[in-house]
Amino acid sequence: MKLTDEIKSGPSAESTAPGHQELEYAYFEGQYVPFNDAKLSIRNPAFLYGTSLFEGIRGYWVPETRQISIFRMKEHYQRLLNNSKLFYMTPDLSLEDLCDITVELIKRNKPSTDMYIRPTLYKTGESITPTLENIPSDFCLWTKPLGEYLDLSKGLSVCVSNWRRVPDNSIPARAKAGGAYMNTALAVTDARKMGFDDAIFLTNEGTVSEGSAMNLFLVKDGQLVTPSKTEDILEGITRDTIITLGLNELGVDTVERTIDRTELYHADEAFFCGTGAQISPITHIDNRPVGDGTPGKLTRRIQDLYFDVVKSKLPQYEHWCTVVQV
Ligand SMILES: Cc1ncc(COP(=O)(O)O)c(C=O)c1O
């Protein structure tokens, strides 16, 4: 299976609609400014050392009501705030402030398509010392149109990466730190150069961790299985969503545990999940078919349920969606 044409054709093609940057706003240095005016110095420490923390949030366009449904915004900002303590980046903004800024930016940008929302906490100033303490931090936010990040329909052909996931004692994967994405970039680049769509990381110990920028689930004997939170993964919000929906809506338990590499080849079904990846079926791992080599039945049910939930169509999960009239 191949990536969507948008992704294959280059890094600027992630969106399904043009990003009219000259008309868009960003939140930068405490103000809403035209996107093209939000610029950092080449001496910025986050640029030099990767000292930033970020989130990726999705807003789903609901054409019938001309609304954007932002999925689990509070949980994303709570994760950012939790990580900010570890990296001495706690902003002068509360959870409510961060949510309000996001809603306001969306209202100003008036999107009419599915969108990606990218908040970043970053080190600023001009110090050349790669330290975290006593270096000022700031918060910025931008949005852009975003369609499918991976092919959701046909299924992905992925490999186990030769690169190992960054261990918690090196750069914690659960922090979503900018610099850690060099690890992701190595795995994705090599996987694609070898003709795969994406990659699965193992931990330094050789057990299964996660995808390049998404969490991983297997289906075995009717149960969902996913690497536990101590397997150098990002504690994904979509992962949590799947565990909840599996249990509440489908009566399927998720086992969170250590997974051996060879279990990947024995799985009945497999899929990636994440804000970007959404629910992406995996049909081949290291050239071996997963199950019968087509997207699995349970994967499809979860995918359908997920899209109803994120578009705020199921009343019992409306509390996960912040609906913005644009
Ligand atoms: C490394 C990594 N793992 C997992 C995920 C999935 O996390 P979430 O569901 O919170 O988007 C992401 C981000 O999308 C990621 O970058």
Side-chain angles (χ1 to χ4, degrees):
M1 269 340 84
K2 290 290 152 243
L3 294 169
T4 53
D5 288 338
E6 294 94 36
I7 301 289
K8 268 194 294 181
S9 62
S12 63
E14 287 156 17
S15 57
T16 50
H20 299 290
Q21 291 184 359
E22 68 282 5
L23 305 175
E24 285 175 3
Y25 288 90
Y27 185 82
F28 182 65
E29 298 183 339
Q31 291 181 41
Y32 302 94
V33 298
F35 179 84
N36 288 336
D37 292 349
K39 299 244 175 10
L40 288 172
S41 159
I42 56 172
R43 288 188 183 152
N44 172 275
F47 170 66
L48 295 177
Y49 304 121
T51 47
S52 65
L53 302 174
F54 69 98
E55 284 297 321
I57 309 174
R58 264 193 193 259
Y60 288 89
W61 171 239
V62 187
E64 302 82 33
T65 50
R66 300 195 62 79
Q67 289 170 328
I68 291 285
S69 169
I70 315 173
F71 191 57
R72 301 195 73 175
M73 174 168 61
K74 275 195 182 152
E75 289 86 340
H76 279 282
Y77 279 123
Q78 192 57 62
R79 182 167 69 185
L80 188 69
L81 289 174
N82 293 346
N83 285 321
S84 73
K85 288 187 206 154
L86 172 62
F87 288 87
Y88 297 92
M89 285 194 209
T90 303
D92 224 2
L93 297 164
S94 66
L95 181 64
E96 288 67 35
D97 293 336
L98 293 166
C99 293
D100 289 349
I101 290 168
T102 306
V103 169
E104 178 59 27
L105 187 67
I106 290 173
K107 285 186 176 164
R108 289 183 186 225
N109 282 341
K110 298 185 178 44
S112 55
T113 180
D114 290 348
M115 62 186 308
Y116 183 68
I117 302 161
R118 170 58 76 96
T120 308
L121 276 177
Y122 60 97
K123 286 294 176 191
T124 187
E126 296 206 342
S127 170
I128 56 163
T129 310
T131 180
L132 295 166
E133 220 183 352
N134 301 324
I135 306 272
S137 306
D138 211 339
F139 169 78
C140 68
L141 179 68
W142 50 262
T143 66
K144 72 177 277 190
L146 181 69
E148 315 307 4
Y149 177 74
L150 293 172
D151 189 331
L152 303 185
S153 56
K154 291 175 267 173
L156 305 171
S157 169
V158 307
C159 62
V160 172
S161 181
N162 292 330
W163 299 99
R164 295 292 168 100
R165 191 76 182 111
V166 273
D168 191 57
N169 286 316
S170 299
I171 306 178
R174 66 164 55 76
K176 213 163 166 59
Y181 281 72
M182 284 294 270
N183 183 225
T184 291
L186 286 168
V188 173
T189 305
D190 284 3
R192 291 184 183 174
K193 275 185 169 295
M194 289 189 293
F196 294 101
D197 295 321
D198 217 291
I200 295 173
F201 274 120
L202 303 181
T203 65
N204 230 7
E205 285 68 46
T207 53
V208 176
S209 177
E210 62 178 337
S212 61
M214 46 284 215
N215 293 118
L216 173 73
F217 280 76
L218 304 179
V219 178
K220 187 70 191 164
D221 300 329
Q223 239 178 6
L224 288 163
V225 187
T226 194
S228 59
K229 289 181 181 173
T230 48
E231 294 292 310
D232 295 328
I233 66 166
L234 179 71
E235 294 176 20
I237 288 159
T238 319
R239 177 184 180 276
D240 176 75
T241 302
I242 304 307
I243 294 172
T244 307
L245 295 179
L247 190 64
N248 293 354
E249 306 304 320
L250 304 173
V252 177
D253 279 335
T254 301
V255 184
E256 298 175 68
R257 64 167 174 83
T258 304
I259 300 176
D260 283 340
R261 176 179 182 158
T262 46
E263 290 186 79
L264 296 172
Y265 311 127
H266 284 185
D268 300 327
E269 301 180 27
F271 62 89
F272 282 141
C273 72
T275 298
Q278 303 174 107
I279 314 295
S280 305
I282 298 170
T283 51
H284 293 81
I285 303 178
D286 289 337
N287 296 312
R288 293 156 176 86
V290 178
D292 65 1
T294 63
K297 275 204 189 98
L298 185 58
T299 305
R300 283 287 186 226
R301 285 176 71 199
I302 291 174
Q303 208 179 34
D304 291 346
L305 196 53
Y306 181 77
F307 282 113
D308 282 347
V309 169
V310 296
K311 290 180 184 170
S312 195
K313 290 187 182 162
L314 295 190
Q316 64 272 40
Y317 297 105
E318 271 174 4
H319 61 284
W320 278 346
C321 302
T322 305
V323 172
V324 184
Q325 193 72 47
V326 287

